[in-house]
Amino acid sequence: MFVSRKSKSITQSTVMMAFHKALELGSQATGPKKLGTFGASYLYPVFVEIGVIPHRKT
């Protein structure tokens, strides 16, 4: 996954690690830092949008 703001990529293994961590945490994943991987700030909203992490109401 390439993010337009950076010239770095988020590898498939990093996405999978973050995905499994998000599944493990579920509703306890209250922000990107809980995922603990590079690119978490980009992956977290994707996981919320596709329903991996439940959307919390503010």
Side-chain angles (χ1 to χ4, degrees), residues 32-51:
K33 284 190 175 189
K34 296 281 186 172
L35 298 179
T37 60
F38 172 77
S41 60
Y42 298 102
L43 296 172
Y44 182 83
V46 172
F47 292 157
V48 169
E49 186 64 30
I50 63 173

Side-chain angles (χ1 to χ4, degrees), residues 13-49:
S13 62
T14 301
V15 173
M16 292 308 292
M17 275 192 338
F19 176 75
H20 289 291
K21 185 71 171 181
L23 287 177
E24 180 183 308
L25 291 172
S27 62
Q28 294 178 350
T30 55
K33 284 190 175 189
K34 296 281 186 172
L35 298 179
T37 60
F38 172 77
S41 60
Y42 298 102
L43 296 172
Y44 182 83
V46 172
F47 292 157
V48 169
E49 186 64 30

